[in-house]
C-alpha cells in the first residue's frame, strides 16, 4: 500500500506541469470526439514514459551499486542545468503544434507532446523505480 501511495505522489508531482498543457488543449476543443483523442493520446504518452523508465530501471540492476548511486544523481542535475539554459515554453509550443496539425492526427500529436514534455520525468521515474525491490 505504501508503494502505491508513494508512486501516486511521484506521478502527481512530476505531471502537474503537464496538466496546464492539457487544460489549454482541451479548452481549444469543442467536440467530444476530439477530446477522447486527447485523453487516449495522453494515456499512451504516459504509458510510454513509464515503460521506458521501467526498462532503464531494470537495466540498472546490472550496474554495480556503487556506480548506480552516482549515475542516478547525475540525471536530475543534467536536466535541471538544461532547463536553466533553455527557454522552453512547453504549453504554448504544444498548443501551436496541435492547432497546426488540426484534428486529423490529434491522438498521435498529443502522445508525442506528452512524451516530449514528460521526458524530464524520466529523471525522477528511473531512480524511483530502481529503488523499488
Amino acid at each position: 500500500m505504501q508503494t502505491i501511495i508513494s508512486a501516486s505522489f511521484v506521478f502527481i508531482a512530476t505531471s502537474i506541469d503537464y496538466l496546464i498543457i492539457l487544460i489549454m488543449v482541451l479548452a481549444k476543443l469543442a467536440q467530444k470526439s476530439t477530446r477522447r483523442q486527447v485523453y487516449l493520446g495522453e494515456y499512451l504518452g504516459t504509458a510510454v514514459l513509464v515503460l521506458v523508465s521501467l526498462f532503464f530501471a531494470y537495466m540498472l540492476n546490472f550496474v554495480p551499486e556503487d556506480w548506480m548511486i552516482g549515475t542516478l544523481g547525475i540525471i536530475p542535475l543534467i536536466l535541471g542545468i538544461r532547463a536553466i539554459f533553455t527557454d522552453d515554453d512547453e504549453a504554448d509550443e504544444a498548443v501551436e503544434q496541435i492547432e497546426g496539425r488540426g484534428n486529423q492526427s490529434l491522438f498521435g500529436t498529443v502522445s508525442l507532446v506528452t512524451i516530449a514534455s514528460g521526458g524530464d520525468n524520466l529523471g525522477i521515474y528511473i531512480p524511483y523505480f530502481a529503488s523499488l525491490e
Side-chain angles (χ1 to χ4, degrees):
M1 188 63 163
Q2 181 182 0
T3 303
I4 293 172
I5 292 171
S6 66
S8 298
F9 281 124
V10 167
F11 178 76
I12 290 168
T14 58
S15 299
I16 198 79
D17 58 338
Y18 189 65
L19 179 65
I20 295 169
I21 295 172
L22 281 178
I23 289 171
M24 291 176 69
V25 169
L26 290 172
K28 299 273 183 184
L29 301 173
Q31 302 170 352
K32 279 194 170 189
S33 62
T34 56
R35 286 184 179 178
R36 190 173 305 124
Q37 290 180 14
V38 171
Y39 294 139
L40 293 175
E42 197 274 329
Y43 288 137
L44 176 66
T46 301
V48 168
L49 288 172
V50 169
L51 290 174
V52 167
S53 298
L54 287 171
F55 172 74
F56 282 111
Y58 175 74
M59 295 307 291
L60 285 173
N61 287 328
F62 301 110
V63 176
E65 193 167 326
D66 294 337
W67 292 9
M68 181 174 62
I69 293 171
T71 305
L72 293 179
I74 290 174
I75 295 171
L77 288 174
I78 291 172
L79 292 171
I81 291 170
R82 186 189 74 135
I84 290 172
F85 293 111
T86 59
D87 185 28
D88 290 338
D89 192 6
E90 295 175 352
D92 292 336
E93 288 178 20
V95 170
E96 287 174 10
Q97 184 178 10
I98 290 171
E99 285 178 346
R101 288 195 143 176
N103 293 339
Q104 297 171 347
S105 61
L106 191 60
F107 171 75
T109 304
V110 171
S111 297
L112 292 175
V113 168
T114 302
I115 293 168
S117 68
D120 59 339
N121 296 356
L122 296 177
I124 304 297
Y125 292 162
I126 294 171
Y128 178 75
F129 290 145
S131 70
L132 297 177
E133 293 186 22

